[in-house]
Amino acid sequence: MKEKLMREAKLPVPKPVLDSKDINTLVIVKRQGAAGGKGYFLAANQEDYNKKREQLITQGILSKDESLYIQEYAAGVLAYLQFFYSPLKEELEFFGADQRHESDIEGMARIPSEQQLKSNKVPSFNVIGNSPIILRESLLDEVYTMGENFVEAAKRIVSPGMNGPFCIEGVYDENAKFTSFEFSARIVAGTNIYMDGSPYYSLLFNEPMSMGKRIAREIKTAKETNQLDKITT
């Protein structure tokens, strides 16, 4: 259903790999649900996949019967795009963008390749923190288009739709082309770095505006105008 929703929203998504025997390019293997990146790993073929999976099972990070999701790896600059959709105003707001810092895959990049090749450790994608990023202004039109398409697709597929906060997660490649590998249908940790408001939200509200405050204001407005049915399920 998640993949169906992303395709219905016309988000550019990496190709999924349904079986490990079909791995013929670099893929990322993910756990189901919000695992925070822990237990994710890269694989180049089925042999590589089986070796790393067994290693993580032995370490107790994965369970033997755990279902894993495989998709082609998309390389580029990480960008987690945060939105808020108001069904009261029927308006999409772009809250901000952040990057995730993952250990210890980021640290591996600082080690010479000769030492990397000698290591048998499966690098972790465990999220440690977040930092804000400001996108090039020329990219913002596409950001709003993706967000609006996602909202409309959610209305059609999972009524009443994607109300409130959500996040489209992906990477920008060398041509500034965005590929979305995931979405979060909820408030995300990356919004915590904007407790006093993001640069984008300062254009919409003449006051500090965190995501929590924005949610609270939507509820208060709905209550005052007798429209709670529009924002709840």
Side-chain angles (χ1 to χ4, degrees):
M1 177 58 77
K2 175 175 279 193
E3 199 171 294
K4 180 182 179 182
L5 180 53
M6 294 177 77
R7 293 190 183 281
E8 180 77 12
K10 298 182 174 61
L11 294 177
V13 297
K15 180 182 176 184
V17 179
L18 302 180
D19 194 296
S20 61
K21 64 180 175 58
D22 297 322
I23 299 174
N24 56 17
T25 187
L26 186 63
V27 300
I28 184 166
V29 184
K30 303 177 180 181
R31 302 171 72 184
Q32 304 288 347
K38 192 169 185 179
Y40 290 19
F41 62 93
L42 300 173
N45 50 49
Q46 187 179 36
E47 181 183 359
D48 192 25
Y49 168 89
N50 289 335
K51 178 183 176 182
K52 291 176 178 175
R53 179 175 175 272
E54 288 302 317
Q55 189 172 336
L56 291 172
I57 289 173
T58 301
Q59 294 172 1
I61 297 172
L62 297 178
S63 61
K64 202 161 189 177
D65 57 350
E66 189 167 350
S67 175
L68 301 175
Y69 180 73
I70 309 171
Q71 65 181 178
E72 290 187 358
Y73 183 75
V77 175
L78 283 170
Y80 290 70
L81 312 176
Q82 307 154 6
F83 299 90
F84 184 93
Y85 176 70
S86 169
L88 302 181
K89 299 192 297 180
E90 296 186 346
E91 186 173 280
L92 178 72
E93 300 163 4
F94 179 48
F95 182 82
D98 75 287
Q99 287 187 320
R100 309 290 154 90
H101 298 285
E102 301 159 334
S103 182
D104 52 353
I105 190 68
E106 290 189 17
M108 290 289 288
R110 295 193 291 270
I111 300 174
S113 59
E114 182 181 353
Q115 275 70 45
Q116 289 186 37
L117 292 170
K118 292 177 181 178
S119 173
N120 292 320
K121 188 179 186 299
V122 179
S124 171
F125 287 79
N126 192 23
V127 177
I128 301 301
N130 312 72
S131 61
I133 59 171
I134 303 299
L135 298 176
R136 290 172 57 182
E137 291 179 2
S138 59
L139 300 177
L140 294 181
D141 184 56
E142 182 192 25
V143 166
Y144 270 96
T145 298
M146 288 190 295
E148 288 164 354
N149 287 345
F150 186 83
V151 167
E152 293 305 313
K155 286 179 182 178
R156 294 192 297 269
I157 294 180
V158 282
S159 180
M162 190 57 258
N163 297 340
F166 66 94
C167 182
I168 296 177
E169 306 165 6
V171 294
Y172 283 98
D173 68 12
E174 70 275 15
N175 299 311
K177 180 181 179 297
F178 188 79
T179 298
S180 174
F181 50 70
E182 189 67 271
F183 74 83
S184 294
R186 55 180 169 80
I187 187 172
V188 292
T191 60
N192 292 339
I193 55 180
Y194 294 121
M195 292 303 292
D196 290 326
S198 77
Y200 299 102
Y201 252 27
S202 67
L203 300 173
L204 297 175
F205 300 92
N206 192 28
E207 62 180 293
M209 184 63 66
S210 67
M211 183 61 86
K213 186 175 180 178
R214 180 66 188 88
I215 294 169
R217 180 160 298 184
E218 188 80 353
I219 296 170
K220 183 178 180 181
T221 301
K223 183 179 179 182
E224 290 174 345
T225 57
N226 198 28
Q227 298 183 83
L228 282 172
D229 60 309
K230 285 189 176 182
I231 67 167
T232 55
T233 60

